[in-house]
């Protein structure tokens, strides 16, 4: 049987979420029981991860704050736990044991700042002078100089993370797109996303078993790559046991969005997608001149939620997916009226276990349907394929002088390349599918596992849809 999480950091995060959720379900958050969680998770007396048991418990205390919503004064959903951020080496260029003490001293000659000297026949780098230009690294014939980059900085391809004066990681909120790449990549769990799991529990409890209002779970199509030890239909059954009135596929919203984006593209001639909130934020912050070209349509999450609230006024909607940036999107003025709370797959697992729900033992309950094309939004390239299909279904594909030329950007670096070309007027394509996470949503930062995902699994899941076209999916949708 496959393990639930692939890192100890994820498991630690999950344990905190589970214990906080358990207390919330039992109405014991104000009982002082929160203070018992650090010792429960880290019983001691010997430390298992840090220098001492007291520091381990102090870090758990900070994680509890994040599980309860985090720093309310910080608008970002991604935060740095300063107490946990103290183990990474801070030097940029370092001389390794491979240095042979050669007499050519090429590293010394190429350094523009005079930061390298020879001591006892070995190269030594003065970090106070080094500007990390990398010339010495390329000049060394033995590859003895290495560049040591913090995992969080290495993961952040938009350079929103830097080292502060206190040697701790700092996030530049003016650049950050809340994609969460740093959250997963930090090996000490010193960067984490705020949790709104208590909001989800409150919405479920105050519905009084859906008698005061109905609570819907909108699940991302990438769910097929999660909970691999059980069937998707069993996860749906588990959501019902948690107290949800109905479980709806965001993939149906994807059908709706693809239909609308196809029309918008045909009318405007050039468009970028609006489905990935991290990508949209990146365009707005890094390429503001292109913001006008972002599709005016809502994301699939918000689109289906808008539809649900039109049919069931007063209901509450919780989105469940692999995306940390969705927590930021929920705060947007255009989205907050439709989505009441966002939780991740990690947090959903914590909810199941806080209620002692064994989803592997549950019967199947099928998801409300969506088309094949809506479901493949979960992988890179799926959105572009769906827009092409929507153009065909609406008779717009190849109509008149219009031709469809998409570029599917797999990860934020490819997004940057396409946007740079577009900003300079040299992009050959007329539709940019932007996915901040590599592989698309199935590679989201808040996935349960982060190993290689087979995109074919997403396609197989899509082929199980009864409706093979978006037109059929949209027309037959029923909440009953």
């Amino acid at each position: 049987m496959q393990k639930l999480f692939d890192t100890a950091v994820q498991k630690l995060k999950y344990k905190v979420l589970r214990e906080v959720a358990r207390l919330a379900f039992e109405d014991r958050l104000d009982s002082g029981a929160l203070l018992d969680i650090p010792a429960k998770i880290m019983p001691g007396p010997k430390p298992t991860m840090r220098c001492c048991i007291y520091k381990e418990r102090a870090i758990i205390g900070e994680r509890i704050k994040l599980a309860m919503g985090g720093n309310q004064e910080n608008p970002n959903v991604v935060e740095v736990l300063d107490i946990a951020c103290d183990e990474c080496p801070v030097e940029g260029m370092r001389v390794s044991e491979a240095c042979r003490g050669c007499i050519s001293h090429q590293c010394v000659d190429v350094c523009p700042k005079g930061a390298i000297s020879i001591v006892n026949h070995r190269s030594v780098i003065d970090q106070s002078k080094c500007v990390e230009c990398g010339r010495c690294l390329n000049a060394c014939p033995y590859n003895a100089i290495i560049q040591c980059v913090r995992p969080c900085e290495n993961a952040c391809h938009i350079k929103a993370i830097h080292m502060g004066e206190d040697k701790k990681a700092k996030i530049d909120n003016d650049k950050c797109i809340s994609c969460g790449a740093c959250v997963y990549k930090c090996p000490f769990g010193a960067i984490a996303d705020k949790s709104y799991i208590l909001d989800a529990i409150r919405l479920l409890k105050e519905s009084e078993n859906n008698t005061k209002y109905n609570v819907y779970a909108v699940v991302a199509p990438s769910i097929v790559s999660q909970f691999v030890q059980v069937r998707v239909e069993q996860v749906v059954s588990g959501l019902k046991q948690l107290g949800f009135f109905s479980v709806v596929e965001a993939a149906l919203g994807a059908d709706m969005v693809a239909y609308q984006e196809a029309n918008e593209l045909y009318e405007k001639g050039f468009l970028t997608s609006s489905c990935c909130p991290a990508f949209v934020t990146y365009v707005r912050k890094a390429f503001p001149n292109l913001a006008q070209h972002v599709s005016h349509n809502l994301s699939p999450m918000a689109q289906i939620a808008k539809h649900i609230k039109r049919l069931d006024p007063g209901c509450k909607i919780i989105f469940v997916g692999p995306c940390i940036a969705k927590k930021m999107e929920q705060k947007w003025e255009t989205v907050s009226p439709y989505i009441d709370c966002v939780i991740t797959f990690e947090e959903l697992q914590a909810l199941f276990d806080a209620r002692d729900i064994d989803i592997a033992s549950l019967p199947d309950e099928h998801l409300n349907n969506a088309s094949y094309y809506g479901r493949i939004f979960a992988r890179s390239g799926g959105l572009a394929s769906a827009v092409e299909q929507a153009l065909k279904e609406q008779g717009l594909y190849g109509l008149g002088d219009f031709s469809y030329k998409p570029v599917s950007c797999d990860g934020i670096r490819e997004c940057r390349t396409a946007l740079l070309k577009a900003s300079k007027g040299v992009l050959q394509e007329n539709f940019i599918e932007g996915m901040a996470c590599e592989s698309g949503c199935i590679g989201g930062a808040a996935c349960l596992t982060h190993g290689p995902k087979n995109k074919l699994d997403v396609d197989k899941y899509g082929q199980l849809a009864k409706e093979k076209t978006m037109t059929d999916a949209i027309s037959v949708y029923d909440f009953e």
Side-chain angles (χ1 to χ4, degrees), residues 120-136:
N120 295 328
H121 306 291
R122 288 176 55 84
S123 296
V124 175
I125 298 176
D126 184 343
Q127 297 299 329
S128 67
K129 295 180 180 180
C130 179
V131 293
E132 301 182 28
C133 64
R135 294 183 187 180
C136 60

Side-chain angles (χ1 to χ4, degrees), residues 31 37 46 120 125 228 254 279 281 298 358 425 435-436 441 450 464:
S31 67
I37 293 178
K46 293 183 178 180
N120 295 328
I125 298 176
V228 290
F279 170 73
T281 301
L298 296 170
D358 178 14
M435 292 283 191
C441 299
H450 294 78
L464 296 175

Side-chain angles (χ1 to χ4, degrees), residues 100-118:
R100 300 293 300 275
C102 65
I103 62 174
S104 66
H105 300 162
Q106 294 180 47
C107 57
V108 176
D109 295 337
V110 300
C111 181
K113 299 297 182 180
I116 303 180
S117 58
I118 305 300

Side-chain angles (χ1 to χ4, degrees), residues 77 158 175-180 261 272-285 294 297-302 319 322-332 334-335 342 377 383 412 415 434-437 440-441:
V77 297
I158 59 170
K175 292 182 179 180
C176 181
I177 58 175
S178 304
C179 65
E261 283 193 351
T272 81
S273 61
S274 60
C275 300
C276 171
F279 170 73
V280 172
T281 301
Y282 183 56
V283 175
R284 291 171 178 170
K285 290 185 175 182
V294 176
N297 290 291
L298 296 170
S299 68
M301 171 189 80
F319 177 76
C323 181
I324 289 173
K326 285 292 183 186
K327 295 180 179 182
M328 284 295 286
E329 182 188 354
Q330 189 274 331
K331 300 176 184 294
W332 296 353
T334 54
V335 177
V342 170
F377 262 57
L383 193 163
I412 202 65
C415 292
M435 292 283 191
C437 294
C441 299

Side-chain angles (χ1 to χ4, degrees), residues 38-332:
K40 182 176 182 179
I41 294 177
M42 295 294 180
K46 293 183 178 180
T48 58
M49 300 179 184
R50 298 286 183 157
C51 59
C52 66
I53 191 65
Y54 305 106
K55 183 166 185 176
E56 289 185 344
R57 290 174 180 174
I59 293 174
I60 294 296
E62 293 301 306
R63 287 193 166 278
I64 291 172
K65 293 178 183 178
L66 277 175
M68 300 181 71
N71 181 3
Q72 300 302 307
E73 295 181 0
N74 183 357
N76 201 339
V77 297
V78 180
E79 292 188 9
V80 177
L81 299 177
D82 284 345
I83 190 175
C85 182
D86 63 357
E87 299 292 343
C88 291
V90 296
E91 296 89 353
M93 297 297 172
R94 306 177 72 185
V95 180
S96 72
E97 293 299 317
C99 179
R100 300 293 300 275
C102 65
I103 62 174
S104 66
H105 300 162
Q106 294 180 47
C107 57
V108 176
D109 295 337
V110 300
C111 181
K113 299 297 182 180
I116 303 180
S117 58
I118 305 300
V119 178
N120 295 328
H121 306 291
R122 288 176 55 84
S123 296
V124 175
I125 298 176
D126 184 343
Q127 297 299 329
S128 67
K129 295 180 180 180
C130 179
V131 293
E132 301 182 28
C133 64
R135 294 183 187 180
C136 60
L137 184 150
N138 296 321
C140 179
Y142 293 106
N143 297 317
I145 300 178
I146 59 175
Q147 185 172 22
C148 186
V149 181
R150 288 186 173 207
C152 58
E153 292 183 45
N154 197 43
C156 184
H157 300 310
I158 59 170
K159 302 187 183 303
I161 298 180
H162 63 278
M163 182 180 65
E165 293 182 0
D166 59 357
K167 308 301 183 182
K168 309 287 187 181
K170 304 295 180 185
I171 297 175
D172 185 344
N173 286 346
D174 291 333
K175 292 182 179 180
C176 181
I177 58 175
S178 304
C179 65
C182 57
V183 173
Y184 172 67
K185 288 297 184 179
C186 177
F188 282 90
I191 306 178
D193 55 308
K194 295 176 180 176
S195 176
Y196 301 105
I197 196 170
L198 294 185
D199 292 336
I201 294 171
R202 175 181 55 81
L203 290 171
L204 287 168
K205 293 181 69 174
E206 291 181 357
S207 76
E208 296 183 5
N209 294 319
N210 298 296
T211 59
K212 286 193 171 182
Y213 53 79
N214 293 325
V215 184
Y216 292 82
V218 171
V219 297
S222 53
I223 192 172
V224 68
S225 67
Q226 305 297 303
F227 303 99
V228 290
Q229 71 276 27
V230 297
R231 296 180 295 279
V232 171
E233 292 78 9
Q234 290 177 300
V235 180
V236 175
S237 186
L239 284 163
K240 294 287 187 69
Q241 283 210 17
L242 276 175
F244 285 94
F245 171 73
S246 182
V247 182
V248 182
E249 284 196 84
L252 183 64
D255 285 323
M256 297 174 177
V257 168
Y259 231 66
Q260 295 164 344
E261 283 193 351
N263 270 291
E264 189 177 1
L265 173 61
Y266 179 77
E267 292 173 2
K268 296 180 177 179
F270 175 73
L271 201 67
T272 81
S273 61
S274 60
C275 300
C276 171
F279 170 73
V280 172
T281 301
Y282 183 56
V283 175
R284 291 171 178 170
K285 290 185 175 182
F287 297 90
N289 60 312
L290 295 178
Q292 60 179 319
H293 297 295
V294 176
S295 172
H296 289 178
N297 290 291
L298 296 170
S299 68
M301 171 189 80
Q303 184 63 49
I304 190 60
K306 180 180 180 180
H307 187 60
I308 295 171
K309 289 208 169 185
R310 180 177 63 82
L311 297 180
D312 189 356
C315 73
K316 303 297 181 182
I317 299 176
I318 299 174
F319 177 76
V320 185
C323 181
I324 289 173
K326 285 292 183 186
K327 295 180 179 182
M328 284 295 286
E329 182 188 354
Q330 189 274 331
K331 300 176 184 294
W332 296 353

